[in-house]
């Protein structure tokens, strides 16, 4: 099994450590390869809210030349994905939100219905349930 980890945090802290532990646990059950993408290290442009991706097709996004194409390619190649991000104010950090906003058209044209997915988050207080639901 090939797993893509999309880590959406501005740093490599507790959420990444928990994700690494999850990887170790999965590997105990069989062969699996994990690839990590740190959203913070990618060039992801802010969604402009133009709706081209939804009404005309994602190829007409004015930001189509950033690293979102790389993320989609890696998701296409993977059997499953882990969406990993800490909880900031009842949600995910801005770096992860930026990627999710750019992929929002997938809610209108589902593409990865044959993939497995796991959401991982950590918190020092409240909002974990909301952040996990968002992921």
């Amino acid at each position: 099994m090939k797993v893509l980890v999309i880590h959406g945090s501005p740093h490599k802290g507790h959420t990444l450590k928990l994700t690494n532990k999850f990887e170790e646990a999965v590997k105990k059950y069989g062969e699996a390869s994990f690839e990590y993408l740190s959203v913070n290290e990618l060039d992801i442009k802010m969604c402009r809210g133009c709706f081209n991706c939804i009404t005309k097709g994602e190829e007409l996004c004015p930001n189509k030349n950033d690293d979102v194409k790389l993320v989609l390619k890696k998701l296409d190649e993977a059997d499953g994905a882990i969406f990993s991000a800490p909880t900031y104010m009842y949600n995910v950090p801005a770096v992860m939100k930026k990627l999710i906003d750019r992929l929002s058209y997938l809610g209108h044209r589902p593409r990865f219905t044959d993939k497995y997915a796991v959401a991982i988050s950590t918190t020092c207080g409240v909002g974990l349930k909301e952040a996990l639901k968002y992921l």
Side-chain angles (χ1 to χ4, degrees), residues 4-28:
L4 176 66
V5 176
I6 299 175
H7 182 64
S9 176
H11 57 86
K12 297 175 180 173
H14 296 294
T15 307
L16 185 58
K17 288 177 188 172
L18 182 60
T19 304
N20 294 149
K21 290 208 177 280
F22 184 82
E23 176 185 352
E24 290 172 18
V26 167
K27 286 182 174 180
K28 288 180 183 176

Side-chain angles (χ1 to χ4, degrees), residues 54 58 72 75 102-112:
I54 293 170
E58 61 268 22
L72 290 168
L75 282 168
R102 287 291 305 287
L103 297 176
S104 65
Y105 67 87
L106 294 172
H108 299 270
R109 288 189 301 283
R111 176 171 167 178
F112 300 110

